[in-house]
């Protein structure tokens, strides 16, 4: 029997077994509970417990599965119920009471409890589906398509829904053909820089040497980004399959997942996925009878942002401090232990099985010419629908913020979108109609980055956000290059002074000058991009810098040294003392008119009183500059 | 910080049993240190020296790795580890205010331990729960949408009571 026939036969057996298991699961009602880290933070494990208890109490027959993240993180905890005769319905903001009712009334009776439903998973006549909403028109799920719908700890679910077919297909072909497919697809690295994946693989494939490595870079260090975590927690097999195909293509026999230690659940789920793949014969020696040997280990990162950079990542795997080195030689020719090494981001590898399965042309149908495929964003900050979104490249920022994200909560005004983490920049309203792809974003002074998108509204100070990112990069600078180590320190000192109201005329010009020097004098991406948040905020929000420097005023009322909290006497309800109780330092007292007053000496500016004051009074306000308090009293 | 003889003995014993599973290859340094920290909660100097001996590298190399990476703790942590997320989303939603609250309530600064060794306070870059911002992680349990009052509530759930009007600034009071 020929080699590809053997592979096909072995895989078909695996597929049939998995499909049978998956279908038997669907014979009974099925309840999915999203227990990725975001769901757990919202209490998903308690919901899971309640559902199991209720099922036991009622004696109803149903399967309960823990699944990953569907991307609708704003509505966590999420529960999805499959019941024969009904469309699959997803419920959001589930409390223990709602969970109990879903079991009693929906499973026990026939009331689908539509008052708690978020949407149905597929179009039907009963409940609006996710695809009926504006975001459904824009989103296109390729690498998130199974996230939240399968048990990430069960390989059979992944296989039953078409998983590992791409690996089986690739193993039956010549590695060179697989490489051509990836090259033709125009896939670009989703870690941030957008380097063509096919070219990276080709370099490694052609590099001399028997021993080669493939590494999945899951050191997602950008604050504000959680796409990689969600994918690893929700569908680890997809990434593992991509890694195995990469290994087959370049000729590697050993692979690694480099995962941040801050993601314990992702580490656990990936380890389990590797173990299951080994048992199923999809990893190890002679995979599916193809004669190809490949195994994978997990290496946990140790909390250094710079290790997301390829050469620093390799240094840390070799037991050294994570200092980047000069390139070339690139890791594709001399990487881990000096051997040719391909390092790809989680999302990049996630596309690989889809491309191999459906072809290069299929990927090019989505997205733009220069950036085919989709972009995955983690929406966070001042946006209603926080969570994950996968949209075709070329979608505008406005569509992502307003249609997918449903806009800004609380009727506030949009100010900027911070994209690309500490290496990216802040884009204002005027840039919202720009299509998102690798090239247009870098022209606008931001960058694609790994996909973190933080939306900022009128209450966010742009100087403060620049200071925040620089504080991060300054702390995370490994210290190798002088300009990065000391230049960012100088810039940070200036920014801190500005946010404290101690800025001097000429500070903005000095920042611009230092920014250019830091860019020019740094070896790796961390230093080269560290000034971007400062540069982009000066470019688009120079007036805010000037207000801080010239008027000692924070227009967004955010910089703590430049604001004071004040209770408007005419609005204070007098008999209410919500603010008094909320104050952690007892800075609020009642005066002879029973009006509450803040003792400015004691106030720690924690905003508790502002939040505690009932919305019908809105008596607590922020003032900037803080000296205004004296004028108000007079 | 000076360790007691007993602490040193335990540290050496645990480190020794961890080292048995690793061949003396420099590439194992970080996994070994992670194991030591998992077992002991921190990486004491005696353990670093032992690891250096096992791998055949100078102790200063082990020290440089242990101090380069944010993950490694060189002093024993508190019984409960409070980690305040300082990621972008948490920062914009008041993460620094929450950190201030923890500092004030526990009476310690970041990377310190309360004198009774009950709590230690750390800042983390981002735990990837940006949609739940601001986030505090206590002993691997993620708490989302934390407010200053929630900080008091969390402390209360650990048996720490803050009686109104009695505490001095930054003092924690044990219940009972």
């Amino acid at each position: 029997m020929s080699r590809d026939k053997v592979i096909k036969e072995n895989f078909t057996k695996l597929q049939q077994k998995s499909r049978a298991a998956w279908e038997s699961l669907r014979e009974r009602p099925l309840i999915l509970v999203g227990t990725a880290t975001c769901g757990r933070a919202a209490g998903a494990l308690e919901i899971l417990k309640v559902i199991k208890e209720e099922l036991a109490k009622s004696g109803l027959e149903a399967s309960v599965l823990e699944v990953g993240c569907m991307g609708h993180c704003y509505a966590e905890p999420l529960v999805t119920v499959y019941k024969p005769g009904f469309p699959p319905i997803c419920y959001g903001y589930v409390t223990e009471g709602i969970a109990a009712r879903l079991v009693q009334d929906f499973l026990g009776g026939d009331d689908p409890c539509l008052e708690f439903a978020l949407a149905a998973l597929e179009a039907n006549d009963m409940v609006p589906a996710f695809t009926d909403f504006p975001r459904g028109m824009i989103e296109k799920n390729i690498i998130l398509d199974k996230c939240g719908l399968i048990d990430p700890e069960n390989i059979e679910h992944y296989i039953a829904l078409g998983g590992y077919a791409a690996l089986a297909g690739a193993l039956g072909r010549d590695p060179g053909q697989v490489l051509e497919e990836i090259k033709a697809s125009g896939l670009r690295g989703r870690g941030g820089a957008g380097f063509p994946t096919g070219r990276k693989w080709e370099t490694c494939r052609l590099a001399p040497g028997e021993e080669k490595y493939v590494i999945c870079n899951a050191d997602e260090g950008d604050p504000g980004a959680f796409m990689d975590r969600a994918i690893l927690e929700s569908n680890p097999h997809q990434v593992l399959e991509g890694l195995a195909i990469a290994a087959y293509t370049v000729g590697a026999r050993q692979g690694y997942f480099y995962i941040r230690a801050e993601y314990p659940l992702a580490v656990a789920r990936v380890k389990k996925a590797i173990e299951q793949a080994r048992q199923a014969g999809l990893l190890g020696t002679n995979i599916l009878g193809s004669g190809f040997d490949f195994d994978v280990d997990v290496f946990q990162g140790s909390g250094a942002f710079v290790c997301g950079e390829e050469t620093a990542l390799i240094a840390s795997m070799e037991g050294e401090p994570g200092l980047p080195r000069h390139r070339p030689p690139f890791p594709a020719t001399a990487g881990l232990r000096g051997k040719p090494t391909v390092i790809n981001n989680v999302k990049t590898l996630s596309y690989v099985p889809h491309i191999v399965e459906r072809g290069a042309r299929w990927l090019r149908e989505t997205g733009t010419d220069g950036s085919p495929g989709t972009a995955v964003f983690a929406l966070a900050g001042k946006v209603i629908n926080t969570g994950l979104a996968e949209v075709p490249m070329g979608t505008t920022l406005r569509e992502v913020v307003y249609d997918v994200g449903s806009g800004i909560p609380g009727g506030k005004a949009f100010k900027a979108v911070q994209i690309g983490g500490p290496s990216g920049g802040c884009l204002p309203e005027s840039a919202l109609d720009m299509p998102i792809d690798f090239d247009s974003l870098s022209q606008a002074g931001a960058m694609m980055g790994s996909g973190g998108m933080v939306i900022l509204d009128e209450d966010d100070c742009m100087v403060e956000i620049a200071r925040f990112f620089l504080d991060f990069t300054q702390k995370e600078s490994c210290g190798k290059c002088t300009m990065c180590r000391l230049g960012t320190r100088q810039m940070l000192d200036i920014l801190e002074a500005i946010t404290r109201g101690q800025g001097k005329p000429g500070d903005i010009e000095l920042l611009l000058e230092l920014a250019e020097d830091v860019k020019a004098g740094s070896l790796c991406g961390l230093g080269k991009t560290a000034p971007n948040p400062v540069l982009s905020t000066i470019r688009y929000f120079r007036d805010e810098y000037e207000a801080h420097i010239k008027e000692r005023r924070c227009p967004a009322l955010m910089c703590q040294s430049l604001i004071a909290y004040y209770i408007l006497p005419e609005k204070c309800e007098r008999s209410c003392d919500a603010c008094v109780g909320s104050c952690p330092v007892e800075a609020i007292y009642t005066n002879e008119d029973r009006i509450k007053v803040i003792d400015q000496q004691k106030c720690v500016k924690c905003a508790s009183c502002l939040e505690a004051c009932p919305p019908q009074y809105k008596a607590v306000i922020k003032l900037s500059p803080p000296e205004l308090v004296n004028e108000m009293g007079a | 910080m000076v360790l007691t003889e007993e602490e040193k003995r335990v540290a050496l014993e645990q480190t020794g049993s961890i080292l048995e599973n690793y061949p003396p290859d420099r590439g194992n340094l970080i996994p070994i240190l992670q194991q030591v920290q998992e077992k002991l909660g921190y990486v004491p100097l005696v353990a670093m020296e032992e690891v250096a001996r096992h791998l055949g590298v100078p102790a200063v190399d082990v020290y440089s790795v242990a101090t380069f990476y944010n993950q490694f703790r060189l002093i024993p942590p508190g019984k409960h580890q409070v980690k305040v997320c300082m990621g972008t989303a948490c920062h914009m939603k008041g993460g620094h205010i929450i950190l201030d609250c923890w500092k004030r309530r526990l009476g310690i600064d970041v990377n310190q331990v309360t004198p009774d060794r009950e709590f230690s306070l750390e800042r983390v870059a981002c735990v990837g729960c940006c949609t739940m911002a601001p986030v505090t992680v206590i002993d691997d349990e993620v708490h989302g949408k934390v407010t200053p009052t929630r900080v008091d509530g969390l402390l209360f759930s650990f048996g720490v009571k803050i009686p109104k009007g009695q505490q001095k600034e930054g003092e924690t009071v044990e219940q009972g």
Side-chain angles (χ1 to χ4, degrees):
Chain A
M1 204 160 39
S2 73
R3 184 168 154 275
D4 52 323
K5 256 195 181 149
V6 175
I7 297 171
K8 213 173 216 167
E9 198 165 280
N10 283 331
F11 184 68
T12 310
K13 262 187 249 164
L14 205 59
Q15 217 172 20
Q16 280 163 351
K17 194 173 136 249
S18 304
R19 281 190 183 145
W22 176 251
E23 269 150 32
S24 73
L25 196 67
R26 300 289 292 270
E27 284 163 7
R28 313 192 289 177
L30 174 64
I31 302 179
L32 309 180
V33 184
T35 58
T37 306
C38 41
R40 288 181 181 203
L45 293 179
E46 285 77 34
I47 301 299
L48 186 70
K49 209 173 119 216
V50 170
I51 291 176
K52 285 186 175 161
E53 281 168 5
E54 285 294 325
L55 283 173
K57 234 193 287 175
S58 60
L60 289 166
E61 286 275 315
S63 314
V64 183
L65 283 186
E66 286 188 47
V67 296
C69 177
M70 282 175 59
H72 299 279
C73 306
Y74 59 93
E76 294 279 7
L78 285 173
V79 172
T80 305
V81 182
Y82 289 82
K83 185 176 173 180
F86 288 89
I89 305 173
C90 178
Y91 300 86
Y93 312 99
V94 176
T95 59
E96 295 180 9
I98 297 176
R101 277 203 51 197
L102 287 177
V103 175
Q104 292 159 3
D105 296 354
F106 189 14
L107 295 191
D110 264 331
D111 171 14
C113 302
L114 292 183
E115 60 272 37
F116 308 125
L118 206 58
L121 296 186
E122 38 199 68
N124 64 87
D125 305 334
M126 190 188 291
V127 203
F130 281 120
T131 45
D132 298 333
F133 290 99
R135 72 179 288 177
M137 308 291 289
I138 295 164
E139 280 181 301
K140 178 171 177 148
N141 282 357
I142 295 177
I143 60 174
L144 295 182
D145 66 341
K146 297 185 194 73
C147 293
L149 301 177
I150 58 170
D151 181 354
E153 301 194 5
N154 190 331
I155 191 171
E156 287 181 335
H157 294 183
Y158 180 65
I159 297 176
L161 296 179
Y164 286 108
L167 175 64
L171 292 176
R173 290 150 83 182
D174 181 71
Q177 284 176 316
V178 181
L179 177 67
E180 285 312 314
E181 198 74 60
I182 297 294
K183 270 168 72 183
S185 75
L187 178 67
R188 293 173 71 170
R190 294 300 200 266
F195 189 81
T197 308
R199 252 189 23 228
K200 201 184 245 186
W201 287 17
E202 188 169 42
T203 312
C204 182
R205 184 173 146 76
L206 297 177
E210 274 299 293
E211 214 170 320
K212 291 174 185 175
Y213 299 107
V214 285
I215 300 173
C216 170
N217 184 351
D219 191 48
E220 186 176 51
D222 285 16
F226 50 92
M227 305 75 50
D228 295 356
R229 172 186 66 71
I231 292 173
L232 289 177
E233 286 177 359
S234 308
N235 195 0
H237 284 288
Q238 179 177 253
V239 191
L240 188 55
E241 186 181 3
L243 191 67
I245 295 172
Y248 178 69
T249 310
V250 303
R253 279 193 294 272
Q254 177 66 46
Y256 294 95
F257 273 91
Y258 188 100
I259 310 178
R260 285 180 83 196
E262 285 92 336
Y263 289 172
L265 188 63
V267 171
R269 287 191 170 164
V270 168
K271 279 187 175 164
K272 191 146 188 184
I274 293 171
E275 193 46 48
Q276 288 175 342
R278 272 188 203 135
Q279 275 169 11
L282 294 164
L283 281 182
T285 48
N286 195 17
I287 294 172
L288 293 172
S290 64
F292 171 60
D293 303 339
F294 178 61
D295 211 339
V296 182
D297 280 318
V298 173
F299 189 95
Q300 288 191 47
S302 299
F305 176 65
V306 69
C307 287
E309 202 279 339
E310 293 185 332
T311 55
L313 182 148
I314 288 169
S316 81
M317 288 184 71
E318 290 171 348
E320 306 279 342
L323 305 183
R325 62 159 172 79
H326 277 281
R327 296 186 300 178
F330 287 92
T333 48
L336 183 62
R337 299 172 200 128
K339 309 282 188 252
T341 306
V342 161
I343 303 175
N344 281 140
N345 173 269
V346 171
K347 291 176 291 299
T348 316
L349 290 171
S350 297
Y351 286 102
V352 168
H354 295 277
I355 296 170
V356 172
E357 182 79 356
R358 300 189 240 188
R361 199 176 295 162
W362 167 82
L363 187 77
R364 284 196 171 274
E365 284 167 11
T366 309
T368 60
D369 283 347
S371 313
T374 53
V376 180
F377 288 109
L379 287 177
K382 309 287 178 62
V383 61
I384 292 175
N385 291 351
T386 52
L388 291 182
E390 183 170 4
V391 296
M393 290 275 188
T395 308
T396 64
L397 280 168
R398 187 181 299 278
E399 286 171 313
V400 174
V401 174
Y402 285 96
D403 292 333
V404 177
S406 293
I408 318 294
K412 301 269 185 179
F414 170 89
K415 185 184 264 180
V417 48
Q418 206 288 335
I419 184 165
S423 315
C426 294
L427 301 178
E429 175 90 35
S430 61
L432 275 184
D433 290 309
M434 195 176 62
I436 302 166
D437 63 43
F438 288 104
D439 310 309
S440 62
L441 281 179
S442 48
Q443 270 166 25
M447 93 187 234
M448 190 79 173
S450 57
M453 201 187 260
V454 182
I455 288 91
L456 309 171
D457 71 6
E458 54 187 288
D459 294 339
D460 294 320
C461 171
M462 303 315 286
V463 187
E464 167 59 23
I465 189 111
R467 188 207 62 77
F468 166 77
F469 279 115
L470 207 68
D471 180 56
F472 179 82
T473 30
Q474 194 275 326
K475 281 200 178 80
E476 292 294 337
S477 169
C478 75
K480 182 167 179 163
C481 307
T482 318
M483 281 318 294
C484 178
R485 182 179 70 243
L486 299 175
T488 53
R489 178 76 251 173
Q490 294 301 321
M491 290 177 73
L492 182 62
D493 286 346
I494 296 172
L495 283 170
E496 278 177 349
I498 295 177
T499 54
R500 278 198 309 264
Q502 294 158 355
K504 295 185 293 292
D507 273 356
I508 299 179
E509 289 70 28
L510 190 56
L511 279 174
L512 291 172
E513 198 185 318
L514 276 167
E516 292 310 321
D517 295 342
V518 171
K519 277 187 164 189
S522 302
L523 195 58
C524 82
L526 191 151
K528 279 192 205 304
T529 58
N532 280 354
V534 182
L535 288 174
S536 67
T537 46
I538 293 181
R539 178 166 160 193
Y540 296 115
F541 301 95
R542 199 177 173 122
D543 53 328
E544 288 200 25
Y545 279 83
E546 282 167 355
H548 281 75
I549 296 171
K550 291 184 188 152
E551 302 166 38
R552 313 262 178 257
R553 178 173 70 87
C554 176
L557 302 174
M558 189 181 186
C559 296
Q560 286 208 348
S561 313
L562 296 183
I563 58 164
Y565 288 81
Y566 179 71
I567 300 174
L568 291 166
E570 65 275 21
K571 286 200 173 179
C572 181
E573 208 277 343
R574 298 178 193 216
S575 58
C576 152
D577 57 2
C579 55
V580 179
S582 75
C583 180
V585 290
E586 291 168 49
I588 302 180
Y589 62 92
T590 310
N591 74 6
E592 56 273 27
D593 296 329
R594 292 173 61 213
I595 291 167
K596 310 294 175 286
V597 184
I598 298 174
D599 180 344
Q600 299 294 338
Q601 300 296 316
K602 281 190 184 172
C603 176
V604 291
K605 300 177 183 174
C606 71
S608 293
C609 51
L610 187 83
E611 270 163 37
C613 185
Q616 62 267 40
Y617 309 138
K618 280 194 191 151
V620 184
I621 57 163
K622 291 193 263 190
L623 295 170
S624 179
E627 295 75 40
L628 276 181
V629 170
N630 306 327
E631 290 169 32
M632 302 292 285
Chain B
M1 192 173 145
V2 185
L3 298 182
T4 62
E5 286 305 312
E6 175 63 14
E7 279 173 321
K8 275 189 195 167
R9 195 189 57 76
V10 172
L12 279 177
E13 201 178 280
Q14 297 279 14
T15 310
S17 67
I18 290 164
L19 289 175
E20 280 169 20
N21 303 321
Y22 289 95
D25 170 8
R26 170 94 194 224
N28 289 328
L29 175 53
I30 290 176
I32 291 173
L33 292 178
Q34 285 169 337
Q35 286 276 317
V36 171
Q37 173 144 313
E38 202 181 307
K39 276 266 160 62
L40 300 172
Y42 68 116
V43 185
L45 209 55
V46 283
M48 284 191 242
E49 285 163 356
E50 193 62 25
V51 173
R53 206 168 304 139
H54 179 75
L55 296 180
V57 297
V60 68
D61 280 16
V62 178
Y63 186 76
S64 85
V65 167
T67 49
F68 181 86
Y69 295 97
N70 298 329
Q71 185 192 11
F72 299 114
R73 223 179 275 121
L74 305 187
I75 54 165
K79 201 166 121 203
H80 303 294
Q81 291 155 38
V82 180
K83 295 178 202 151
V84 185
C85 182
M86 286 283 128
T88 322
C90 289
H91 179 75
M92 296 326 279
K93 291 207 170 178
H96 53 291
I97 291 176
I98 303 306
L99 183 66
D100 281 349
C101 277
W102 284 109
K103 282 190 199 169
R104 192 163 51 239
R105 284 305 185 219
L106 295 174
I108 52 174
D109 210 338
V110 176
N111 294 332
Q112 288 183 348
V113 187
T114 51
D116 57 7
R117 287 208 191 176
E118 279 291 307
F119 294 94
S120 51
L121 185 60
E122 286 169 43
R123 45 188 293 163
V124 287
C126 182
V127 292
C129 289
C130 309
T131 58
M132 309 293 297
V135 168
T136 295
V137 185
I138 306 177
D139 301 337
D140 292 334
E141 197 183 333
V142 182
H143 300 273
K145 303 197 171 140
V146 179
T147 58
T149 27
R150 181 97 183 102
V151 169
D152 290 354
L154 286 168
L155 276 171
F156 187 73
S157 71
F158 284 103
V160 179
K161 214 163 97 188
I162 301 131
K164 266 272 163 194
Q166 285 174 21
Q167 90 273 33
K168 278 186 279 171
E169 249 237 73
E171 191 182 58
T172 58
V173 183
E174 283 293 312
Q175 196 181 25

